[in-house]
Structures are given as C-alpha cells and as structure tokens.
C-alpha cells in the first residue's frame, strides 16, 4: 500500500491527523518516508544545502568550533556532535579542518544523531569513525561541541489558524483529513500543545493569522542545552527561520528544487517549516545558557573568515568564478545570507572549587 493510501485508511477510521503526525510519517516512515530514501540532497536531489554548495561553509564552522574548544578550556575528550548530518559532507569538512589543530583532533570523537538508516550509510562513507544515535538522549557525558544545519526545520510542527466560527472567531488546529477521498486540510479544536502558546498569541489576531509550534524542536533544544549546561561546550544551530513570528504559515513542501503541494505526494517531497529562533534561544536560556544574539548566515560566515577561505581555495587552484558564486550564494542578503540564521552558544563549565 502506498503511503498516501495508508494515511487515508488511517484518517478514514480514526479521523483527521495533526500536521505534526503527517510530517513525521511523510519524512521518517521506515520504508516510504522521504528521508528513508536517502537521495534527497545536492544538485541532483530535491534541494541543496549550504555544505553541499561549498566546503567554505564547513571549514568556517570547523575553525569556529576550534576556537570554542579553546575557550571551554581545551578538554582532554570532547564530543563533536551533529544533528541530522544528511550526507555527512559538513562533518567531513569540519573534521578535515580540525586536523589543523592536533590537540583538538586527538581529543575529538564524532557523534551523529540520525533517524534515517539510508542516510546513516551515506554518512559512514564520509565519516567512517562516527558513532550513531537515534536521538539526543544517549549523547556521551562529555564536553560537547554541537552543530545542526537544516535539522530543526525538518522537525514536525503543529499549526493553528485563526478562523471564523458561528460564535465568533477562534483558534483552530490545522489537521489533515479527507475530502472526496483526497487528503485535505481540516480544522479541529486545538490539541494540548496549544497551551504552550497562551503567552504569545497576537492580541487582536486577524482572520487567517497562523501560528506554528514545534514541540519536538523545543524538546531537542532543551535536551542539548541541559547537556551543554552540565558538561560544558558550544552549539551552532543554522537554519532558515525568523526572530519574531509573522503569523503567516511557513509549512512547505519542496521537490526537484520547486515548491509543491504538501499533500499531493506524501513521502515524495521534503516537508519543512521556518524555525522559530526566538523560542529556541529562550529554551537555551531556560536551561541556564547565554546564547549570542541570533545573526544572519551571511554576517556570521563573513565575520569568521569565509572571504579568506574563498581566497585560499582560489590560490590552491579552484575556479575563481565558481568559488565566488558559491560564496555569494551562501552569504548574500538576497540569497542565503539573511533568511538563514545562526544561533550560537558557548558555555564554559565552571568546575566546583
Ligand atoms: N545537515 C544536512 C541535512 C539536512 S536535512 C545538510 O545540511 O545537508 C535533515 C536531516 O535531519 C536528515 O539527515 C534527516 O534524516 C535528519 N532528521 C530529520 N528528522 C530527524 C529526527 N527526528 N531525528 C533524527 N534525524 C532527523
């Protein structure tokens, strides 16, 4: 049975499902889920991510993590953790860069949090010595340098729309139901996750206002923050997202580099939503960390030496116009420089005296 047919059968007997359940099934169903296929990334896939555009991205992050390693006191052992490593390209670039810092290289062990078996085998090709985890709960009790690029946008969201109703307008949860045997959006009373939003609702919402919430993102953020608060370390989280919600829906599906209808072909398109950076930062603060102000990917990469890395690649024989085009794509305000944001946290564990 196709994923569409099994979703329909489920909805027919049990009623509409939340957007979060729909996303989780479409992305991670063990055989028919989008990431379970493992061939999504790169120029030939459905979308291209920063590390697949240029090694400049991973080299700048590697050099930044090397600085963080020093600033947390150059521990004897450190866990280098990546969430959702895709093809493993970013970590391969980071590990190669860290090779220039022998003390750190000797202290480092690589840990991947990855749900897709197909992508795990891609990652193993590029980073053979990594250790894999199903989720963040099993990270080793070590100082931790963590990176996540385009991981949080893939975590399931709930969406709430402000809709007209007989007794006046109200918030309703956007679900997936059936209309004439096709998957279609439906509204139900908000589920229990809605309670977490009570303090953030716009004071006078316009009809059509939409709020998205990713409880799974907040749980992951809390777990990693608590870990870094306990053992010391740093985190660099990069994704497309916003600092303040605009109350417009951002849930989308991408296939072959084009936006498509998220309900048309379950499991065949990447499903994402913009990341709520303010909420991720607030979660880190709740865990006792002190995140730096959220910044754009463009300024972040340029301030950490992306221009010099590009220059070095050209000096080593790379094609100048290709390197420049990649640098521009990663950093220009009208490309990935502003929409993509960076949340950076450095936390030196204070040893009890
Ligand atoms: N960081 C990579 C890939 C981003 S795509 C890059 O920049 O190219 C999202 C990645 O997160 C994939 O590896 C996907 O399999 C993984 N992923 C998605 N949801 C996950 C979950 N709930 N738990 C663990 N990994 C997940």
């Amino acid at each position: 049975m196709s994923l569409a047919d099994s979703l329909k059968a489920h909805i027919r007997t049990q009623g509409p499902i939340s957007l979060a359940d729909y996303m989780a099934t479409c992305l991670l169903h063990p055989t028919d889920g989008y990431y379970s296929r493992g061939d999504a990334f790169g120029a030939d896939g459905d979308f291209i991510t920063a590390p697949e555009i240029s090694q400049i991205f991973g080299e700048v992050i590697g050099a930044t993590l090397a600085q963080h390693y020093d600033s947390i006191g150059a521990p004897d052992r450190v866990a280098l953790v990546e969430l959702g490593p895709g093809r493993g390209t970013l970590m391969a670039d980071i590990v190669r860069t860290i090779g220039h810092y022998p003390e750190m290289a000797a202290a480092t062990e690589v840990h991947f949090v990855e749900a897709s078996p197909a992508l795990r085998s891609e990652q193993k090709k590029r980073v053979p010595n990594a250790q894999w985890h199903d989720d963040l709960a099993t990270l080793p009790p070590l100082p931790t340098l963590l990176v996540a690029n385009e991981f949080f946008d893939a975590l399931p969201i709930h969406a709430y729309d402000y809709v007209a109703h007989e007794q006046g307008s109200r918030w309703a949860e956007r679900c997936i139901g059936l209309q004439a045997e096709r998957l279609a959006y439906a509204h139900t009373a908000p589920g229990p996750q809605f309670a977490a939003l009570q303090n953030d609702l716009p004071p006078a919402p316009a009809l059509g206002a939409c709020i998205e919430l990713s409880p799974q993102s907040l749980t992951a953020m809390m777990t990693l923050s608590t870990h870094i608060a306990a053992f010391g370390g740093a985190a660099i989280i990069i994704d497309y997202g916003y600092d303040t919600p605009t109350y417009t829906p951002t849930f989308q599906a991408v296939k072959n580099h084009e936006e498509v209808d998220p309900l048309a072909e379950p499991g065949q398109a990447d499903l994402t939503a913009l990341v709520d950076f303010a909420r991720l930062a607030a979660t880190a603060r709740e865990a006792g960390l002190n995140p730096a102000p959220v910044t754009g990917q463009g300024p972040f990469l340029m301030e950490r030496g992306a221009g010099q890395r590009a220059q070095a690649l050209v000096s080593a024989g790379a094609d100048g116009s290709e390197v420049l085009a990649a640098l521009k794509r990663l950093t220009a305000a009208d490309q990935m420089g502003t929409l993509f944001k960076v949340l950076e946290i450095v936390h030196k564990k204070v040893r009890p005296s």
Side-chain angles (χ1 to χ4, degrees), residues 82-234:
E82 184 174 358
L83 310 182
R87 286 163 20 104
T89 308
L90 172 58
M91 186 55 85
D93 290 338
I94 292 174
V95 166
R96 194 182 62 253
T97 306
I98 287 174
H100 297 295
Y101 306 86
E103 187 192 355
M104 180 182 183
T108 299
E109 47 185 78
V110 175
H111 293 262
F112 284 153
V113 175
E114 174 57 65
S116 156
L119 285 172
R120 283 187 184 199
S121 60
E122 279 295 312
Q123 293 153 16
K124 202 171 173 57
K125 288 183 201 161
R126 293 173 187 83
V127 189
N129 298 325
Q131 299 173 55
W132 279 265
H133 302 256
D134 292 330
D135 61 48
L136 283 146
T138 53
L139 290 183
L142 291 175
T144 295
L145 300 173
L146 180 143
V147 60
N149 184 60
E150 293 207 35
F151 171 73
F152 283 95
D153 68 65
L155 297 186
I157 59 155
H158 291 266
Y160 307 95
D161 293 313
Y162 200 64
V163 295
H165 181 252
E166 298 134 21
Q167 284 114 42
S169 344
R170 64 171 183 189
W171 290 101
E173 179 156 0
R174 184 157 10 131
C175 292
I176 318 287
L178 284 178
Q179 242 173 40
E181 287 305 299
R182 294 170 70 99
L183 295 174
Y185 291 116
H187 281 119
T188 63
Q193 299 82 3
F194 188 68
L197 286 168
Q198 293 305 346
N199 295 330
D200 310 292
L201 298 174
L207 276 183
C210 174
I211 292 192
E212 295 168 337
L213 180 71
S214 175
Q216 205 173 315
S217 293
L218 301 184
T219 304
M221 192 66 203
M222 185 48 95
T223 307
L224 80 85
S225 300
T226 312
H227 196 79
I228 289 175
F231 299 105

Side-chain angles (χ1 to χ4, degrees), residues 61 64-65 68 146-148 234-238 300 342-345:
I61 290 181
T64 302
L65 291 174
H68 295 338
L146 180 143
V147 60
I236 301 177
I237 292 163
I238 304 160
F300 174 83
V342 184
L343 175 62
E344 191 177 31
I345 303 165

